[in-house]
Amino acid sequence: QVQLVESGGGLVQAGGSLRLSCAASGRTFSNYVMGWFRQAPGKEREFVAAILWSSWNTYYADSVKGRFTISRDNARNTVFLQMNSLKPEDTAVYYCAADDGGIRAPISALPRYDYWGQGTQVTVSS
């Protein structure tokens, strides 16, 4: 059973930074895609960023390019999302997700991902 546990959320002022972590366990992730999504109140869950566990290929939503950086630590089975220059519109619950390759879909598509964490709240004040 795959488990994903997010941490690092909190309250920050606009322009500030946060670093989210996602600790993965329960399986070998060498062929996985790991993603970050977010969901603001009253809105649908949306893609933020993704990284291939087997390479350094990364993908970002246009809204976070240049501000957010996704990375991983293979030894710790952990994926990070460094968020800089945060804006009030970045306020959301952030979810970590894992894709084991079983579903063909765009890397930004929610149905591609098989496992989800419980989410961590990020609040950016103006």
Side-chain angles (χ1 to χ4, degrees):
Q1 184 70 17
V2 173
Q3 285 193 316
L4 305 174
V5 180
E6 303 99 333
S7 61
L11 174 64
V12 64
Q13 288 190 331
S17 298
L18 282 174
R19 188 193 197 203
L20 305 184
S21 299
C22 172
S25 62
R27 192 168 289 188
T28 300
F29 295 92
S30 59
N31 296 318
Y32 277 49
V33 176
M34 302 296 295
W36 284 98
F37 290 76
R38 65 187 182 187
Q39 188 166 17
K43 295 188 176 181
E44 294 186 349
R45 194 170 297 189
E46 64 176 6
F47 172 76
V48 175
I51 187 168
L52 273 62
W53 204 272
S54 59
S55 73
W56 291 105
N57 289 358
T58 56
Y59 308 84
Y60 296 94
D62 288 343
S63 59
V64 306
K65 276 181 185 175
R67 300 188 298 124
F68 291 10
T69 302
I70 188 170
S71 61
R72 70 181 196 277
D73 182 332
N74 288 9
R76 293 164 56 190
N77 271 359
T78 301
V79 177
F80 304 98
L81 185 68
Q82 177 67 43
M83 305 186 296
N84 298 330
S85 302
L86 282 161
K87 305 175 181 179
E89 52 263 44
D90 294 317
T91 295
V93 177
Y94 283 71
Y95 297 90
C96 177
D99 156 38
D100 66 4
I103 299 174
R104 288 182 176 269
I107 205 161
S108 60
L110 272 71
R112 179 183 181 129
Y113 295 84
D114 307 281
Y115 307 99
W116 293 84
Q118 82 289 349
T120 185
Q121 176 70 47
V122 171
T123 303
V124 184
S125 63
S126 57

